[in-house]
Amino acid sequence: MIGIPNTRKRFKIVHELPKRIRLKSLVLLAPDLDHNYLQASVESLNGVKSVRINGPAFSIAVEYDGTPEVRSAIIETLDDIPQEAFLKDNEREHNVDLIDVGARTAAAAATPFLPLPVQAATSWMLGIPGIVKGLETLFTRGVKIEVLDGTVKALSLLRGDYFTSNSVGALLCLGEYLEDQSEQKSTDLLKTLLKPQVEKIWIEKDGRELEIDFNDLQVGDIVVCGPGELIPIEGTIVEGDGSVNQSSITGESVPIHLQPGDATLSGAVVEEGTLKIRADKVGAETGMARINRYLESSLRSQSKNQIQSAELADKLVPLTFGAGLGIYALTGDLARAASVLTVDYSCAIKLSTPVATRTSMYTASKAGVLLKGGQALDNLAAVDTIVFDKTGTLTKGELKVTDIVPMPLYEEEELLSIAAGAEEHYAHPVARAVVNEAKEQGIQLPEVSGVDFIVAHGVSAYVDGKRVLVGSQHFVEEDEHVDCSYMEKKATQLRNQGKNLLFVAMDEELIGVIAMRDELRPEALEALEAFKDAGIKRIEILTGDHRSTALALAAQLPPVDAVHWELKPEDKANIVKELKEGGAKVAFAGDGVNDTPALVCADVGICMPSGADLARESAQVVMLNEDMLTLVEAHRIALTNRETLSNCLWSAVGINSATLLLAGMGKISTLAAAMTHNLSTVGILGYAAMKTSSANKPQEYAKEIQ
């Protein structure tokens, strides 16, 4: 990272109202500062309503709820801008406003009525900055759009055609303004999704673990975070050690090992181990660290389509420049050469991709699906195979306990109490079903310690000093060597009824079995049929359930091509890999920590709204509500985006090529060529925004983005 200034305490308050504050700092002039990132950082704070950065005036205005806590958080965030807010080789926006457009338009309109010396002086004064910028670009970045613009102005000025020079300058300024507005509007739409959600967290108090609302957390509280959970605060580890993934904060993909005394970052995810963390910062103070990978991938990263479009656009600029020089060499006509040079392919091609992509992502979010960046959108459009985890994805994930079968010497209530106590901290549909049943029966849960989640198998915990195991038969019988033969006949009967089984053991002896049933989502069949109609070639189901339970479900879903049962996490990932090796473009939909390997392995990982934090972090696509038809809609939006980008590309190439040809033949003037180019660019951007924002409420979203 280069050129990163020391921003500590550099912002000065220049104006303040009860709910609005404006600050200034020269750091806003830093060439490598990413204004989008800084703006989103402040907007992500709870209580902040809007943020506006004025780069040339090096000021930032923030509207908020007026509370002292939020005011302090805003100032703290600005005075401690992190390194990731600074980008190497960051290209600045045009920074054109309506005043610039109006002034240049007025100057162009008045040019014919001014005395010749005044025309010349005014035109050269307006044209020199563009010419200088073109020369600077030529020597630093090569032949880019700025070189074309500067050359057109220079040729017009040298010919004494001051009206054309000023008119072209006004058109370019208007085009830049409209392009900036289109792209900024699509970016602003995405930023509305960055507000952190209120969440529940576990704290340790007086030797007990309690679940509280995140907003009730106090400095000094001890927060307990287990595997797969998001660390919600910035603090210090006081007990436990484990592996933590901080990629959403630092960008470093390799998990780090943390132990007592180490500091934690809010937004990181615990992959292994259980950590007890003393809260050093709470509430809005952790807002900066809570800007997760979604911000980076949405506003920064480029999809392959965007990169390819930019590369194509850059290759076409020298072609236009060479054509202009060739026309002049053949005809000696500066006017005709200038007309050719006004034609630039890059604006429409480069800008239509981010506008369409960001608008599509926003439209998908309004439909109920969050896409983490343009590449997720591209990948979703390319998918031809979808693999679903069963529980919580195709099914409601709202398991209901149907049978409680204790071993002799144990009562149903005792068995349920022990199982629910061990499962209470586990964010999984099976665990929720057991805990909810205990609460409905008014059963007091025992105090539990030493909870350990064995991914895809079950839970190990200590209840009243005795080790309790709760999980699948495979986990209890084969992994932990507990004899389950006594329950074999009853277990077979329950499975044949399509029920899921949970085996409970204590001190290495089976104490009972709990059966539950999960209903198919009512829209599941319709969604799978819609995917088939949309061109999805293959649909498969993966589950850790017993064979009979899995087949009972698959029988209700005719579009399913294959079902796999009794799977471990690595088995799910291996099936996804095999499909990919066979040439398929695979999407995997799941919701648990045990689904993470498959989510990472798939071309597109899709996480359900109730998914574990680690699953949400690993997925490229996160559903915002439980309706599977929203995923069908997101797939349609992705296909529409791909079609729109193709249409934008060929429209830009076709219109600009025709304009180039007419200009080269001398059929249109420099002014007409510039007007055609700029109007076509704005039209293509409008089409990109309109087409990709029409998923749910076409007119409403089209107005928002225009």
Side-chain angles (χ1 to χ4, degrees):
M1 197 68 61
I2 61 173
I4 299 175
N6 178 10
T7 64
R8 190 69 182 171
K9 302 301 180 187
R10 287 288 184 88
F11 278 83
K12 179 182 178 182
I13 299 173
V14 294
H15 186 262
E16 187 169 7
L17 295 172
K19 293 186 179 182
R20 189 176 187 276
I21 186 171
R22 186 160 66 91
L23 307 95
K24 281 196 171 186
S25 174
L26 292 176
V27 72
L28 293 175
L29 298 177
D32 51 355
L33 176 63
D34 185 347
H35 285 181
N36 276 337
Y37 187 93
L38 179 61
Q39 182 177 339
S41 300
V42 180
E43 285 180 341
S44 71
L45 298 174
N46 280 321
V48 172
K49 298 179 180 178
S50 68
V51 179
R52 181 177 179 273
I53 296 178
N54 187 336
F58 51 93
S59 73
I60 178 171
V62 184
E63 289 188 20
Y64 65 107
D65 60 11
T67 61
E69 295 81 10
V70 176
R71 180 184 182 275
S72 298
I74 293 167
I75 295 172
E76 178 68 22
T77 297
L78 291 173
D79 281 338
D80 194 17
I81 302 174
Q83 287 191 347
E84 56 262 30
F86 297 86
L87 291 175
K88 186 177 180 180
D89 300 326
N90 184 39
E91 292 186 20
R92 273 301 181 84
E93 301 294 330
H94 294 130
N95 288 323
V96 177
D97 57 28
L98 281 175
I99 296 176
D100 297 324
V101 175
R104 286 187 173 274
T105 302
T111 299
F113 306 103
L114 299 174
L116 189 60
V118 177
Q119 286 186 34
T122 303
S123 300
W124 277 99
M125 182 180 68
L126 291 174
I128 282 178
I131 296 172
V132 171
K133 186 176 181 180
L135 288 171
E136 180 185 353
T137 302
L138 178 64
F139 289 112
T140 57
R141 295 167 49 214
V143 181
K144 304 291 182 184
I145 176 59
E146 292 83 0
V147 178
L148 296 182
D149 294 342
T151 304
V152 171
K153 292 177 182 178
L155 291 178
S156 298
L157 290 170
L158 289 173
R159 291 175 53 245
D161 190 350
Y162 302 125
F163 177 69
T164 296
S165 175
N166 292 338
S167 297
V168 169
L171 282 171
L172 290 173
C173 189
L174 175 62
E176 289 176 357
Y177 173 77
L178 293 174
E179 291 161 8
D180 281 353
Q181 288 299 301
S182 294
E183 188 170 5
Q184 187 60 45
K185 180 65 87 171
S186 64
T187 298
D188 289 343
L189 292 176
L190 278 181
K191 288 177 182 175
T192 63
L193 306 174
L194 294 174
K195 295 289 183 181
Q197 299 178 353
V198 175
E199 55 190 51
K200 298 283 187 179
I201 59 174
W202 286 90
I203 67 168
E204 185 179 75
K205 200 164 189 177
D206 299 328
R208 297 185 60 196
E209 293 184 7
L210 306 173
E211 188 179 35
I212 65 169
D213 190 278
F214 176 73
N215 292 329
D216 295 333
L217 183 67
Q218 302 292 322
V219 172
D221 283 347
I222 304 300
V223 178
V224 182
C225 296
E229 294 182 344
L230 191 80
I231 296 177
I233 47 100
E234 294 175 11
T236 305
I237 298 174
V238 295
E239 185 179 332
D241 67 302
S243 177
V244 176
N245 188 330
Q246 298 186 148
S247 60
S248 61
I249 308 301
T250 65
E252 176 57 53
S253 59
V254 179
I256 64 171
H257 182 263
L258 296 182
Q259 55 191 1
D262 290 338
T264 64
L265 295 175
S266 66
V269 176
V270 180
E271 291 194 348
E272 294 179 2
T274 299
L275 304 178
K276 295 183 179 180
I277 307 165
R278 183 184 66 245
D280 296 332
K281 290 185 178 181
V282 299
E285 294 179 7
T286 64
M288 174 63 73
R290 296 178 63 79
I291 297 172
N292 59 21
R293 187 184 298 122
Y294 174 68
L295 170 63
E296 186 175 346
S297 59
S298 301
L299 302 182
R300 288 187 168 186
S301 66
Q302 294 182 324
S303 66
K304 290 181 180 178
N305 274 340
Q306 192 167 345
I307 293 172
Q308 290 170 356
S309 296
E311 290 175 349
L312 174 61
D314 287 340
K315 290 177 181 178
L316 291 173
V317 172
L319 179 64
T320 301
F321 193 74
L325 294 178
I327 290 294
Y328 179 70
L330 291 173
T331 65
D333 188 342
L334 282 176
R336 193 181 295 188
S339 298
V340 170
L341 293 175
T342 61
V343 180
D344 169 42
Y345 293 84
S346 66
C347 290
I349 295 175
K350 275 187 176 181
L351 290 173
S352 61
T353 303
V355 167
T357 298
R358 292 176 185 181
T359 307
S360 293
M361 290 166 60
Y362 176 77
T363 306
S365 74
K366 297 298 287 186
V369 179
L370 185 65
L371 296 157
K372 294 183 180 179
Q375 192 58 53
L377 193 66
D378 290 352
N379 291 349
L380 188 58
V383 162
D384 58 23
T385 300
I386 302 182
V387 180
F388 291 95
D389 175 61
K390 181 187 79 71
T391 304
T393 306
L394 287 174
T395 60
K396 290 181 179 179
E398 299 174 359
L399 291 166
K400 181 70 177 175
V401 173
T402 58
D403 302 87
I404 302 174
V405 187
M407 292 284 286
L409 304 180
Y410 288 91
E411 299 293 331
E412 290 187 10
E413 184 176 314
E414 183 182 8
L415 173 61
L416 183 58
S417 174
I418 293 170
E423 293 271 40
E424 186 179 12
H425 295 185
Y426 195 18
H428 190 276
V430 172
R432 284 196 297 270
V434 175
V435 174
N436 289 341
E437 180 67 21
K439 289 181 178 178
E440 287 178 9
Q441 293 190 23
I443 296 175
Q444 184 72 28
L445 301 187
E447 292 189 12
V448 178
S449 62
V451 180
D452 187 18
F453 307 112
I454 296 88
V455 176
H457 291 296
V459 175
S460 168
Y462 284 88
V463 178
D464 295 330
K466 298 179 180 180
R467 186 169 184 248
V468 173
L469 302 171
V470 183
S472 66
Q473 182 175 358
H474 172 84
F475 166 56
V476 173
E477 186 172 42
E478 297 183 26
D479 292 351
E480 297 294 333
H481 309 294
V482 175
D483 183 10
C484 298
S485 59
Y486 183 87
M487 282 287 182
E488 191 62 40
K489 184 177 180 180
K490 184 63 175 178
T492 301
Q493 293 175 352
L494 294 171
R495 288 195 184 102
N496 289 336
Q497 297 170 16
K499 296 174 181 178
N500 298 287
L501 301 185
L502 202 61
F503 285 71
V504 185
M506 186 164 63
D507 279 350
E508 300 182 358
E509 290 186 358
L510 186 70
I511 65 173
V513 171
I514 298 175
M516 56 197 73
R517 192 196 305 275
D518 190 8
E519 294 183 8
L520 194 67
R521 291 181 185 274
E523 77 281 4
L525 178 58
E526 182 184 353
L528 297 188
E529 290 175 341
F531 276 125
K532 286 286 190 175
D533 292 340
I536 298 298
K537 298 177 182 178
R538 188 169 183 82
I539 296 175
E540 298 194 4
I541 298 176
L542 310 183
T543 179
D545 290 343
H546 195 271
R547 177 179 180 274
S548 56
T549 305
L551 291 176
L553 175 79
Q556 302 176 58
L557 300 172
V560 173
D561 298 291
V563 60
H564 307 265
W565 51 83
E566 297 182 15
L567 299 175
K568 300 177 183 178
E570 57 269 24
D571 297 330
K572 297 180 181 180
N574 288 336
I575 289 173
V576 172
K577 287 179 183 177
E578 288 173 5
L579 288 169
K580 289 177 65 177
E581 289 170 357
K585 294 292 183 180
V586 183
F588 175 82
D591 70 335
V593 175
N594 57 312
D595 296 324
T596 302
L599 287 168
V600 173
C601 178
D603 294 295
V604 182
I606 302 168
C607 182
M608 301 301 289
S610 57
D613 290 320
L614 187 58
R616 293 169 69 90
E617 282 289 310
S618 303
Q620 286 184 299
V621 177
V622 179
M623 294 179 64
L624 302 178
N625 60 56
E626 298 288 346
D627 189 351
M628 280 189 63
L629 292 175
T630 60
L631 186 57
V632 177
E633 179 65 8
H635 180 247
R636 191 190 71 77
I637 291 170
L639 293 175
T640 300
N641 180 71
R642 184 170 64 178
E643 178 188 1
T644 300
L645 293 180
S646 177
N647 292 341
C648 287
L649 172 63
W650 292 112
S651 296
V653 171
I655 294 172
N656 283 288
S657 296
T659 305
L660 186 69
L661 181 62
L662 292 173
M665 295 171 63
K667 300 296 184 182
I668 56 176
S669 66
T670 304
L671 183 57
M675 187 173 295
T676 302
H677 160 66
N678 282 281
L679 289 177
S680 67
T681 297
V682 173
I684 288 171
L685 292 181
Y687 165 77
M690 178 83 71
K691 184 72 173 176
T692 53
S693 65
S694 61
N696 301 318
K697 299 178 182 177
Q699 295 178 348
E700 177 183 336
Y701 291 139
K703 287 179 182 177
E704 269 190 284
I705 195 68
Q706 290 295 319

